[in-house]
Amino acid sequence: MNIGILDIIDITIVAYAFYKLYMLIKETRAEQLIKGIFVLIVSTKVSEYLQFHVVNWVLKNTMQIGVIAFLIVFQPELRRALEYIGRTKLIARPIGEFENEDIDEAIEEMLEAIFSLSRQKIGSLIIIERETGINDIIQTGTIVDGKITRQLLINIFIPNTPLHDGALVIKNNRIKAAGCFLPLTENKYLNKELGTRHRAGIGITEKSDCISIIVSEETGDISIAENGKLYRRVSREYIQKILKNNLKKQNENKSIFKRGGLFK
């Protein structure tokens, strides 16, 4: 059998698609389900080869019902996968016009506020929207639409103030809303010492590509959640790198149609 260049490209595309799918479901409930489906497929073929007719009939019908169960039970993971596919440079949402100097200033203000909250052991939860819109989350809180300043960030999370209990959302490099309600993670393997604030910070990153920055009110430790994973006790340099990589990337990845790139 002759293998041409088109066959190599075809195989490469399929291999890359499976790799990205695996990375998407890695360390999630879907990963365990895929393993279960693989066992069922192998068992079905083995029972067919050994002519275990009853076992083979049961396994085949289980597979058919399993497809429907997969769509129902793993709706969040499927939604996340489709959102990932939909995030492409050609159809990127227009991002507000900001100069890099403005972004650097916003990042510095955020860092000062986060570490001030950490030193005072004031619990806080900051969500940074990226390409997947989270307007449904924003609508659960109070619209602020203010410039990012350390004074405003700290004041929002001061205990016993109206907006301190909830999440703050940053969108288009502005404080869009505060006091927002977030979905809690469904991950059953998290450390039991993690409270509601951390679980909410992780939960929103399971349903979108946003970033959560969490300050613990018990220890003052700062954590970052992304893609359903939590990174605890992160340094100032690490947070600064994350903020620069994402806020500046938003500024650079404007819609190609907005640039006129397709019509130059």
Side-chain angles (χ1 to χ4, degrees), residues 185-205:
T185 179
E186 298 178 3
N187 188 340
K188 299 179 181 178
Y189 303 103
L190 288 176
N191 193 317
K192 299 298 182 183
E193 70 182 35
L194 294 177
T196 304
R197 183 175 287 109
H198 287 82
R199 294 178 182 274
I202 299 170
I204 186 61
T205 67

Side-chain angles (χ1 to χ4, degrees), residues 83-115:
E83 287 176 346
Y84 178 84
I85 294 172
R87 293 196 293 269
T88 167
K89 304 297 183 187
L90 291 177
I91 57 176
R93 297 181 297 114
I95 302 297
E97 298 287 349
F98 289 92
E99 298 295 332
N100 281 340
E101 292 78 7
D102 297 330
I103 297 176
D104 288 334
E105 180 183 352
I107 290 173
E108 188 61 29
E109 291 294 307
M110 289 178 64
L111 287 170
E112 290 297 324
I114 290 167
F115 280 88

Side-chain angles (χ1 to χ4, degrees), residues 95-262:
I95 302 297
E97 298 287 349
F98 289 92
E99 298 295 332
N100 281 340
E101 292 78 7
D102 297 330
I103 297 176
D104 288 334
E105 180 183 352
I107 290 173
E108 188 61 29
E109 291 294 307
M110 289 178 64
L111 287 170
E112 290 297 324
I114 290 167
F115 280 88
S116 176
L117 292 166
S118 173
R119 288 191 296 271
Q120 300 176 69
K121 294 186 179 180
I122 296 176
S124 56
L125 176 53
I126 299 173
I127 309 301
I128 302 175
E129 180 187 280
R130 293 205 284 184
E131 293 184 32
T132 301
I134 53 173
N135 280 339
D136 54 331
I137 298 298
I138 291 172
Q139 291 169 6
T140 66
T142 300
I143 300 299
V144 177
D145 197 22
K147 182 180 178 180
I148 299 175
T149 65
R150 70 191 74 183
Q151 293 87 352
L152 181 53
L153 287 167
I154 293 171
N155 190 65
I156 285 174
F157 289 110
I158 292 296
N160 302 320
T161 54
L163 301 178
H164 86 282
D165 193 15
L168 180 148
V169 176
I170 291 178
K171 176 178 181 177
N172 292 347
N173 297 336
R174 291 181 67 82
I175 301 173
K176 188 64 178 179
C180 300
F181 295 96
L182 305 181
L184 300 181
T185 179
E186 298 178 3
N187 188 340
K188 299 179 181 178
Y189 303 103
L190 288 176
N191 193 317
K192 299 298 182 183
E193 70 182 35
L194 294 177
T196 304
R197 183 175 287 109
H198 287 82
R199 294 178 182 274
I202 299 170
I204 186 61
T205 67
E206 292 173 342
K207 300 183 182 299
S208 76
D209 66 338
C210 68
I211 293 175
S212 300
I213 301 176
I214 310 121
V215 177
S216 169
E217 63 182 339
E218 287 81 17
T219 64
D221 290 339
I222 302 171
S223 304
I224 287 184
E226 182 181 13
N227 293 325
K229 297 179 181 179
L230 184 69
Y231 305 90
R232 304 181 67 184
R233 302 179 182 91
V234 294
S235 65
R236 183 186 181 98
E237 292 73 22
Y238 184 83
I239 298 174
Q240 186 177 39
K241 181 180 178 181
I242 291 293
L243 293 176
K244 283 186 176 181
N245 286 347
N246 288 281
L247 294 181
K248 288 191 174 181
K249 183 179 179 182
Q250 282 187 354
N251 192 43
E252 293 166 359
N253 289 346
K254 299 181 180 72
S255 170
I256 192 169
F257 296 103
K258 187 177 181 69
R259 295 178 185 174
L262 289 179

Side-chain angles (χ1 to χ4, degrees), residues 36-65:
I37 291 175
F38 178 75
V39 171
L40 281 177
I41 292 174
V42 172
S43 300
T44 301
K45 291 299 180 182
V46 170
S47 65
E48 183 178 352
Y49 176 77
L50 297 176
Q51 297 185 1
F52 292 167
H53 301 296
V54 177
V55 173
N56 184 254
W57 180 85
V58 170
L59 289 174
K60 282 185 176 179
N61 282 275
T62 301
M63 288 290 293
Q64 293 175 359
I65 298 173

